[in-house]
């Protein structure tokens, strides 16, 4: 089965033996999903929304402290939300409705509220997912998805993608070295004439490698399901520990609605 150890997901994992690391992967998946749903369910146009978002952030920082995940790791995980940031920044300028002046710039009040809400919700959800990736090995995540009855075909697709993403990345790196050794420098539009066929060649090589790997697996008795270890029984205490994050988020949301 050769390949790497999970590519980007493996790089995201922070080894450790904290209580968060020791939780069963499927309980953490459910907890993160439930937390994200609570965050998304927070009303936008209410006065206490900002306080609720601050409370959610404190909860995530507490989990990060318990898991010993450093702030730098959390900040690197926020890179994926750049498109949400751009969209949120544009909303106050393009939205209609009552306007207000901020530093001499006329902005939409509804756009400010909506943009701030999108930015807060995206940031909190990405931070929760970053904590999940930092405390759960890629293969453990796959086992968790399997325990949650995700269709086996999807689990297998994700498994092979994780296993061979770095193999394809290595092939891409070797092709880049070969091009540069022949004097190629992709600094102008004319480089597309070279990069286009290179992308097609990478696809063909990856497809052929996949076929060879699949045939080798079939010859070794592969039936559509990879062998796994014994399934551990998860007790109520483990579920209660994992769900403490979304339950605390619900408590923050309820307190905000009552006090607001």
């Amino acid at each position: 089965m050769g390949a790497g150890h999970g590519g980007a997901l493996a790089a995201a994992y922070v080894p450790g033996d904290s209580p968060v690391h020791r939780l069963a992967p499927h309980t953490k998946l459910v907890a993160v999903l439930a937390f994200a749903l609570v965050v998304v369910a927070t009303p936008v146009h209410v006065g206490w929304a900002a306080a609720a978002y601050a409370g959610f952030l404190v909860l995530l920082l507490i989990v990060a402290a318990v898991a010993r995940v450093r702030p730098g790791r959390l900040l690197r995980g926020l890179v994926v939300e750049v498109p949400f940031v751009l969209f949120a920044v544009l909303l106050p300028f393009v939205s209609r409705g009552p306007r207000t002046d901020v530093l001499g710039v006329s902005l939409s009040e509804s756009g400010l509220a909506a943009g701030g809400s999108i930015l807060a919700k995206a940031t909190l959800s990405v931070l929760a997912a970053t904590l999940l990736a930092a405390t759960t090995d890629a293969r453990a995540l796959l086992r968790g998805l399997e325990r949650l009855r995700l269709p086996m075909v999807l689990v297998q697709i994700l498994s092979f993608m994780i296993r061979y993403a770095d193999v394809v990345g290595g092939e891409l790196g070797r092709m880049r070295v070969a091009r540069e050794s022949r004097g190629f420098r992709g600094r102008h539009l004319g480089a597309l004439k070279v990069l286009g066929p290179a992308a097609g060649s990478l696809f063909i090589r990856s497809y052929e490698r996949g076929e060879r790997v699949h045939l080798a697996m079939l010859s070794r008795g592969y039936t559509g399901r990879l062998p796994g270890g014994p399934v551990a029984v998860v007790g109520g205490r483990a579920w209660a520990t994992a769900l403490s994050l979304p339950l605390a988020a619900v408590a923050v949301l309820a307190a905000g609605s009552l006090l607001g």
Side-chain angles (χ1 to χ4, degrees):
M1 294 292 301
H5 301 283
L9 275 178
Y13 178 64
V14 179
D17 191 35
S18 70
V20 182
H21 284 80
R22 292 194 295 269
L23 286 173
H26 62 289
T27 63
K28 288 187 277 189
L29 283 165
V30 172
V32 169
L33 178 59
F35 176 81
L37 290 176
V38 174
V39 171
V40 172
T42 304
V44 177
H45 301 286
V46 291
W48 49 266
Y53 295 142
F56 298 152
L57 179 60
V58 169
L59 293 176
L60 290 177
L61 293 179
I62 292 174
V63 174
V66 173
R68 301 182 184 89
V69 177
R70 296 183 177 180
R73 175 66 193 86
L74 296 177
L75 292 176
R76 288 196 300 273
L78 292 178
V79 174
V80 299
E81 74 161 337
V82 170
F84 294 97
V85 174
L86 296 177
F87 181 71
V89 169
L90 286 175
L91 274 180
F93 295 95
V94 301
S95 298
R96 299 180 179 180
R99 316 289 291 186
T100 184
D101 288 338
V102 178
L103 299 178
V105 180
S106 178
L107 301 176
S108 167
E109 293 180 0
S110 61
L112 282 172
S117 176
I118 290 174
L119 185 58
K121 292 179 180 182
T123 300
L124 292 167
S125 300
V126 171
L127 283 176
T130 300
L131 283 173
L132 174 64
T135 58
T136 314
D137 181 71
R139 291 170 181 167
L141 279 175
L142 292 173
R143 290 195 298 271
L145 292 173
E146 188 175 352
R147 288 286 298 271
L148 294 176
R149 300 292 190 268
L150 191 73
M152 186 53 61
V153 173
L154 294 180
V155 174
Q156 293 301 304
I157 290 174
L158 290 172
S159 173
F160 292 129
M161 181 185 72
I162 290 173
R163 288 170 183 266
Y164 294 103
D166 55 343
V167 175
V168 176
E171 188 70 34
L172 181 62
R174 288 189 291 271
M175 293 173 64
R176 178 180 58 81
V177 171
R179 289 196 305 271
E180 292 179 352
S181 67
R182 292 172 174 83
F184 174 78
R185 296 293 182 271
R187 298 174 181 173
H188 48 79
L189 291 178
L192 294 177
K193 295 181 179 180
V194 177
L195 296 177
S201 176
L202 177 64
F203 173 79
I204 292 173
R205 291 185 185 185
S206 302
Y207 183 83
E208 290 177 344
R209 182 187 290 269
E211 280 193 326
R212 292 194 297 270
V213 170
H214 184 243
L215 291 175
M217 292 173 63
L218 290 177
S219 67
R220 290 167 173 79
Y222 175 70
T223 59
R225 185 187 184 96
L226 292 176
V231 178
V233 177
V234 178
R237 179 177 298 180
W239 274 108
T241 303
L243 295 179
S244 60
L245 174 63
L247 290 176
V250 170
V252 170
L253 189 61
S257 63
L258 291 175
L259 299 177

